[in-house]
């Protein structure tokens, strides 16, 4: 908010959200109890229904869109405060890694300052935080607000195969982007590594392991040699990690294996490093000339690099947080998000704006209730600016 437009202080905004905390907790419970694993179309639709119901309460200052993708689910777009100005982009996702029935193992519950639930930290509580922020801003009728476009994808946890196109389309029109992925112990994320996933498969020649092993070409042995070569691509000094994470092959204990494969997870801090590793993996050649190699995969998410524009965006956020005595710090992490796609287009991105918590992707997943009002206040002063 410009000084001439400020009608309520950050401290007053925090007081507002503190007063609304019981209602916010109820809404978080409601959305968390709608289990929505990636790829479950029915569950994704239920989450979209819930968000639409909440958004319709705002009135005509907000528009709602649903994009159905067969076999995936429904992406949701919320457009607030129409204007000729470019829209600030806000990102989140509705899918979780937890299969249906996981809430029986990690029930949605409050224990002291901790609010537990499957997907509550990553990132359903943050969807409610965004909705609450928009509801508050919509009530400030005499405040000139920048337009806001919120994109909630339903396939982020599986690499955003259909959500990426939607995100990039909206990002090309945005001056900046706020990503409400979980914070890192309260710290926002000014840098994320990019990701790549590869599958290396070997096809050899089967043979009887006792009678004529020399007639076979061992695919498992070939993959073992390739794994050693792939592992040597690790370069910690450049922030590059290459890890073989799965392996399978063979058919029986007395048969020289005809087939074997492994997968490799790749993380990098720059596109130069990404291209270097990509070229090395695609350039793998068999040690045994009787064996053929087949390589699939590639770079999934480019890195979110800590650019000067990102640093400036963080400085603004830290300054606004200080207005209500909220300490804000930054970090850079190895995991990627949909914000990586936006950053690759040259749009400044501030990630990890979600509420403080822990246990993402585990049955100990939770958020800290004491951080909710402060995080909502931060979101509000940033989106109103």
């Amino acid at each position: 908010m410009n000084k001439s437009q400020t009608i309520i202080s950050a401290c007053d905004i925090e007081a507002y959200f503190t007063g609304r905390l019981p209602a916010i907790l109820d809404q978080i419970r409601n959305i968390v109890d709608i289990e929505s694993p990636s790829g479950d179309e029915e569950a994704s639709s239920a989450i979209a229904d819930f968000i639409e119901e909440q958004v319709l309460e705002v009135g005509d200052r907000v528009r709602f869109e649903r994009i159905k993708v067969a076999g995936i689910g429904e992406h949701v777009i919320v457009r607030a405060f129409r204007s000729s100005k470019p829209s600030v982009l806000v990102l989140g996702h509705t899918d979780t890694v937890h299969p249906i029935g996981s809430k029986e193992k990690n029930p949605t519950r409050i224990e002291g300052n901790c609010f537990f639930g499957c997907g509550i930290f990553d990132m359903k509580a943050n969807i409610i935080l965004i909705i609450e922020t928009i509801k508050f801003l919509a009530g400030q009728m005499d405040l000139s607000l920048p337009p806001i476009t919120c994109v909630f994808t339903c396939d982020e946890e599986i690499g955003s195969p259909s959500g990426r196109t939607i995100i990039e389309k909206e990002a090309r029109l945005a001056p900046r982007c706020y990503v409400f992925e979980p914070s890192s112990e309260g710290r926002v994320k000014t840098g994320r590594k990019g990701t790549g996933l590869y599958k290396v498969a070997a096809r050899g020649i089967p043979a009887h392991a006792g009678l004529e092993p020399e007639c076979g070409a061992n695919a498992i042995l070939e993959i073992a040699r390739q794994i050693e070569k792939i592992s040597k691509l690790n370069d910690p000094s450049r922030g590059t990690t290459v890890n073989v994470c799965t392996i399978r092959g063979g058919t029986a204990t007395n048969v020289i294996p005809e087939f074997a494969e492994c997968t490799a997870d790749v993380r990098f801090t720059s596109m130069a490093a990404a291209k270097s590793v990509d070229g090395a993996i695609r350039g793998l050649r068999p040690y045994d000339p009787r064996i053929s190699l087949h390589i699939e995969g590639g770079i999934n998410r480019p890195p979110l690099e800590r650019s000067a524009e990102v640093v400036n965006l963080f400085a603004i956020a830290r300054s606004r947080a200080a207005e209500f005595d909220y300490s804000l710090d930054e970090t850079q992490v190895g995991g990627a998000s949909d914000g990586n796609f936006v950053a690759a287009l040259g749009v400044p991105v501030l990630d990890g704006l979600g509420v403080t918590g822990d246990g993402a992707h585990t049955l100990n997943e939770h958020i800290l209730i004491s951080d909710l009002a402060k995080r909502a206040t931060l979101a509000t002063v940033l989106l109103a600016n």
Side-chain angles (χ1 to χ4, degrees):
M1 288 174 281
N2 297 327
K3 288 184 178 180
S4 60
Q5 298 175 336
T6 301
I7 60 173
I8 188 169
S9 71
C11 291
D12 287 338
I13 295 172
E14 183 184 2
Y16 165 83
F17 284 117
T18 299
R20 270 198 61 79
L21 200 54
I24 292 173
L25 293 176
D26 284 343
Q27 292 295 67
I28 292 174
R29 183 184 297 275
N30 291 337
I31 195 172
V32 171
D33 278 342
I34 304 173
E35 295 182 287
S36 55
S38 307
D40 189 318
E41 292 182 77
E42 184 178 349
S44 177
S45 180
I47 286 286
D49 288 342
F50 176 86
I51 296 174
E52 182 173 16
E53 180 182 346
Q54 296 299 309
V55 169
L56 289 177
E57 295 179 3
V58 178
D60 60 5
R61 298 193 80 185
V62 176
R63 290 176 294 159
F64 187 84
E65 300 174 27
R66 300 166 74 139
I67 301 173
K68 292 186 178 182
V69 181
I72 298 290
E74 292 192 45
H75 304 296
V76 169
I77 301 178
V78 178
R79 301 185 190 277
F81 320 127
R82 300 181 193 184
S83 169
S84 59
K85 299 177 181 178
S87 289
V88 175
L89 182 60
V90 173
L91 295 185
H93 62 89
T94 60
D95 61 323
T96 78
V97 301
H98 303 284
I100 297 293
S102 296
K103 66 180 179 181
E104 304 302 321
K105 300 176 182 178
N106 181 24
T108 311
R109 68 198 187 279
I110 293 175
E111 295 181 3
N113 188 37
C114 296
F115 196 170
F116 290 85
C118 293
I120 194 169
F121 181 47
D122 187 12
M123 56 156 289
K124 288 184 174 178
N126 302 321
I127 295 175
I128 299 300
L129 187 149
I130 295 167
I131 292 172
E132 286 288 327
T133 295
I134 290 175
K135 285 182 177 180
F136 173 83
L137 290 174
Q140 312 304 307
M141 299 302 295
D142 54 349
L143 183 65
S144 177
L145 294 166
I148 300 168
T149 298
C150 304
V151 177
F152 300 112
T153 56
C154 62
D155 58 0
E156 191 273 347
E157 296 292 5
I158 55 173
S160 303
S162 65
R164 178 176 183 172
T165 301
I166 298 169
I167 291 166
E168 291 180 335
K169 178 182 177 181
E170 299 297 336
R172 290 187 176 96
L173 305 173
R176 59 190 176 279
C177 175
Y178 296 119
V179 183
F180 282 79
E181 284 282 352
S183 67
S184 177
E185 297 180 335
R187 295 170 294 182
V188 296
K189 299 167 183 177
T190 52
R192 282 183 178 273
K193 288 185 178 182
T195 61
L197 181 62
Y198 297 84
K199 181 188 292 184
V200 180
R203 181 70 65 178
I205 302 171
H208 194 292
L211 297 178
E212 46 183 12
E214 69 281 357
C215 293
N218 194 317
I220 287 180
L221 178 59
E222 179 67 39
I223 284 295
R225 289 171 171 168
Q226 296 296 339
I227 287 173
E228 184 176 13
K229 191 170 185 178
I230 291 169
S231 297
K232 289 180 179 179
L233 297 175
N234 271 290
D235 189 353
S237 65
R238 298 181 68 188
T240 302
T241 61
V242 182
N243 291 289
V244 172
C245 296
T246 66
I247 183 171
R248 69 184 184 95
T251 56
T253 57
N254 60 350
V255 178
I256 300 298
E258 177 186 13
F259 176 79
E261 68 176 21
C262 69
T263 60
D265 177 281
V266 179
R267 309 281 168 144
F268 41 84
T269 57
S270 69
M271 283 306 298
K275 291 176 180 178
S276 175
V277 173
D278 183 77
I281 292 178
R282 296 189 185 283
L284 293 173
R285 297 293 181 265
Y287 287 85
D288 187 331
R290 298 173 299 168
I291 291 177
S292 62
L293 289 182
H294 181 65
I295 299 165
E296 298 178 1
I299 299 168
N300 172 240
R301 285 186 171 99
L304 194 171
E305 300 187 47
R306 188 179 181 274
S307 66
E309 292 81 5
V310 171
V311 172
N312 182 60
L313 203 56
F314 167 66
I316 293 171
R318 183 166 55 183
S319 174
R320 301 312 306 269
E323 293 176 11
F324 57 103
D325 296 323
Y326 188 41
S327 178
L328 194 66
D329 204 351
E330 63 170 314
T331 189
Q332 298 174 60
V333 297
S337 80
D338 283 341
N340 290 54
F341 298 135
V342 180
L345 298 175
V347 179
V349 176
L350 194 59
D351 204 333
L353 282 164
V355 66
T356 302
D358 203 357
H361 295 192
T362 76
L363 295 177
N364 187 47
E365 191 167 350
H366 64 274
I367 61 169
L368 300 183
I369 296 171
S370 59
D371 194 50
L372 273 168
K374 293 183 178 297
R375 218 67 179 187
T377 303
L378 178 63
T380 302
V381 297
L382 287 177
L383 291 177
N385 187 17

